[in-house]
Amino acid sequence: MTVIRSATAADVGTILRFVRELAAFEREPDAVEATEAMLEEALFGERPAAEALIAETADGPLGFALFFHNFSTWTGRRGLYLEDLYVTPEARGQGVGGALLSHLAGIALDRGCARFEWSVLDWNADAIAFYRKVGAVGMEDWTIQRMSGDALVRLAGR
């Protein structure tokens, strides 16, 4: 039986392992800069930036979800943003991803969130099909804009 629970500081190593596995799956195996110390501070420090869930059985962890709140000026309410969802290859197709999404939807409702949002790579057809099946709608008119590194420093004038 799969259990979904809030992550604790003891899970940081597992979370980082899952982040690295997700990066490899997303064809960016060398892109992960996070360390256990960084994740511990971000998730369990004085001012947590995000939260995480662990999906597990008695045999061990099967996946995780990392999320945080955003805010919509249009609705005047916060939303829940899913940054990462990962299920181990062995556990895929067993309802673990759906259980994590369902748990997150419950958190969003319990916290009065107007929206539950996430991004998916356009080549991940299996994930997109699954998200459509559970009722998610693609935001076809919107594109994500990202700034980091030197461009961020330049824009900040530093």
Side-chain angles (χ1 to χ4, degrees):
M1 181 171 120
T2 301
V3 173
I4 308 294
R5 63 171 176 80
S6 295
T8 68
D11 295 309
V12 168
T14 298
I15 293 168
L16 183 56
R17 177 172 56 91
F18 284 158
V19 168
R20 288 180 176 142
E21 289 176 17
L22 176 61
F25 174 78
E26 292 183 348
R27 305 174 185 163
E28 293 283 346
D30 299 321
V32 177
E33 297 176 14
T35 65
E36 285 188 24
M38 293 166 75
L39 288 176
E40 186 166 355
E41 177 64 26
L43 297 172
F44 306 106
E46 187 176 319
R47 293 181 52 185
E51 300 173 64
L53 301 173
I54 300 291
E56 65 186 0
T57 64
D59 294 330
L62 305 173
F64 88 115
L66 192 138
F67 63 99
F68 54 88
H69 288 284
N70 55 16
F71 184 80
S72 167
T73 56
W74 288 17
T75 67
R77 294 167 40 200
R78 64 183 174 170
L80 195 87
Y81 188 84
L82 173 60
E83 177 65 21
D84 285 332
L85 181 125
Y86 177 76
V87 175
T88 61
E90 310 82 53
R92 291 181 192 150
Q94 298 177 21
V96 177
L100 283 163
L101 283 177
S102 179
H103 194 94
L104 288 163
I107 290 172
L109 291 175
D110 291 346
R111 295 181 184 182
C113 296
R115 299 175 178 159
F116 174 28
E117 299 174 310
W118 61 91
S119 298
V120 60
L121 290 166
D122 61 1
W123 56 259
N124 194 344
D126 290 341
I128 292 169
F130 174 70
Y131 298 148
R132 295 301 172 268
K133 182 178 168 186
V134 298
V137 176
M139 303 299 294
E140 303 298 333
D141 294 337
W142 294 85
T143 62
I144 297 170
Q145 306 300 303
R146 178 178 294 163
M147 182 172 286
S148 61
D150 291 341
L152 180 62
V153 172
R154 277 193 307 275
L155 184 62
R158 297 186 185 167

